[in-house]
Structure formats: C-alpha cells, structure tokens
Amino acid sequence: MALDVALDIGTSHTRLATAQRGVLFDEPTMVAIDTNTGDVLELGHGALELVGRTARHVVVFRPFNQGATVDFDVTARLIAALFDRAGVSKLSRARVVMSVPSLATAIERRALRQAAIQAGAREVSLVEAPLAAAIGLGLPVQDPVGSAVTLLGAGASEAAVISLGGIVSGGARRLGGNDVDAAIATSLRINLGVVVAPSVVEALKCTLISALGRTNGRREVVLARSVDRGELVEVEVSADLVNLAARDVLNSTMRMIQECLSDTPPDLSQDISARGMTLVGGQANLPDLDELVATSSGVEVSLAAQADLAVIVGLSACLEEMASLHALFRSADR
Ligand SMILES: Nc1ncnc2c1ncn2[C@@H]1O[C@H](COP(=O)(O)OP(=O)(O)OP(=O)(O)O)[C@@H](O)[C@H]1O
Ligand SMILES: [Mg+2]
C-alpha cells in the first residue's frame, strides 16, 4: 500500500509524519553530502554533529532559509533521504502533504513541489502553514467563525485569521528566531568583542530573554572566542544585552500581528475578541511573549502545548482526512 507522508520543512527544523506512525522525524534541517559522489551521508542531528568536523569533500548544507528553499537540489536530496527514513520507496510514489509559508512566492511554491516530485513523490499538496497549524490545534477552521493563529518560526512569522477553510486576513514577515540569534551574536561581537558558537547564542536566548524585559539582573557565563586575540575567554552575558538585541525583531512581530487584526472584518474581529489568539511555532516559547502579544494586540492570547509541532500535527490530520476520503472513493469504485 502506498504510504502518505506529511512534511514540514522549516528554516531550523524539519518534521515528517505518516498517518500510521505519527511524527517520525523532528530534527535540524541539515544535510551532510559527499560532494564527490553526491551521496547524503547524514541528516538532522547527525549532520549537525559533523559541522566543522568534516573532510573537505563533505559539506553540511542548510537548504532552507526564511521559510524557503535556497538550494533546490539539496532540498530534493533531503526529501528523498527523509522518504527513505519513513520507509517510502521510490517505487511506492507517496502522496505528500507539505506546509508552505503564507508569504511564499509562486516560484518558491513550485520549487518545493518540484523538489518533492524529484525525490519520488507522486502527488504533492501544499497547505499554508498557519492553516495547517490551526487544523493541528483542532480549531473549527471550516466553520463560519474567526480563529486567530500566530505562527512564529525560525525564519518566518505569520499571523492569520481563518474562517470557512481559508485565511481571511493575514500578516507575514521573513523574520524569526534566527534573526533574534543573529542580533544577539552581533551585539556580543560589538559590545563584548567576542564570537560565540550558534548553539550557545540560542541557549543564551532561551535562558535569558524576557519579551517584557523582566530580566531581574540575570546573567550567564559562557565560553567565547575573543575577536582581537583569537583566544578562548569566559564572558558574562547580561539578560539586558540579550533583550535589547531581540527588541527589533519583537517589535516587527507585534506590528505584523496588529496589521493582521486591523485588516480583519468586524464580525470576525468580534469572534477573535471572544475566542482569543493562539501562538504556535518554536519561537512562541520565548518567555513572556504571550503576555507581550496580549498587551500589544488587546486580545486574549494562549501559547499552544508543543507549539513547534502544531503544523506537522495539522498536516497529519490532513493526511488522515485524505485517506478517509480515498477510502470513500474506493468503496464506491466496485
Ligand atoms: N524555549 C524557547 N525559547 C525561545 N526560542 C525558542 C525556544 N525553543 C525554540 N525556539 C526557537 O524557535 C525557532 C524554531 O522554531 P520552529 O521549529 O517553529 O522553526 P522552523 O519551522 O524551523 O522555521 P520556519 O517555519 O520559520 O521556517 C528557533 O529559532 C529556536 O531558537
Ligand atoms: Mg516552521
């Protein structure tokens, strides 16, 4: 029997699920490729561990940035390797349901679809990521009632009001957790004269940040490389420095949410006032972000449990729905 696959390729993480086995893969969007042979050597965590430790002919790629593929061929190889992991053979020609950011251009959508087909998919359906997330949350997306979702990822941020199966009003930016990390890294270099490993920058963000600036003088000591002398040094990083660096991205995110809500037709606005908005995506876990969104938007805000999995859970639900519809066709086909 052909396997159906749900696939959410993100700037930082890729998630794959099948209707039968649930989420099978949730790892960094990274692929290590032997450039002599073109073979994929490692994926996800395995590829991440190889960064900075490979021979010259092995290159670790991050084929996604700002929610879009920046390397078509590597993306196709990544998808093919993921199909392998899921036990989908090239011959079985899987049906694939994939997420795409609502801000993706026609060319980006076509590239994603083609990459999956090159990897062996038979049929590719794209679902806009905020809609997939709303389905994953179990919101009544098909009903004539407004549901508000804000999806905050590593490379894209999207706010959407959904009703009758579609996005009625939305706002989106090619901006996310990666940009917060980049701003923190720049601030560390300028203010403390050090370069810090990306994983350490991300850890500093998760432990020190407060979207409301509630820092209470917190500090963390980390190992860094001095820009001047190139030696390893210990530096103390304050929560204030991290918060200040994140401010620009957070302000832009708040403006995006306000734009989305102010474009919403009055009847649906009433629904959102009554039912609130849910935050999803990895960056939604940023401490105090839910409170910041609530105060700046004036609607009630809740943070989804397992916020980073909402999209893949929604895509899996689409798969199940597809499978049951196909069963319906089969039963009438006798
Ligand atoms: N507890 C946390 N606090 C703050 N940020 C977090 C936390 N957990 C994860 N993040 C951030 O969330 C981002 C990853 O989110 P997610 O997995 O939704 O992104 P993605 O799907 O790969 O990207 P995109 O969909 O934007 O292309 C990263 O930038 C990560 O640093
Ligand atoms: Mg995502």
Side-chain angles (χ1 to χ4, degrees), residues 8 10 15 151 153:
D8 172 26
R15 285 130 189 153
L151 172 59

Side-chain angles (χ1 to χ4, degrees), residues 214-235:
R214 288 184 186 136
T215 55
N216 302 327
R218 278 200 310 269
R219 295 173 167 274
E220 285 276 332
V221 175
V222 296
L223 207 56
R225 191 159 45 77
S226 131
V227 173
D228 287 341
R229 294 190 299 268
E231 61 194 19
L232 282 181
V233 289
E234 278 193 342
V235 288

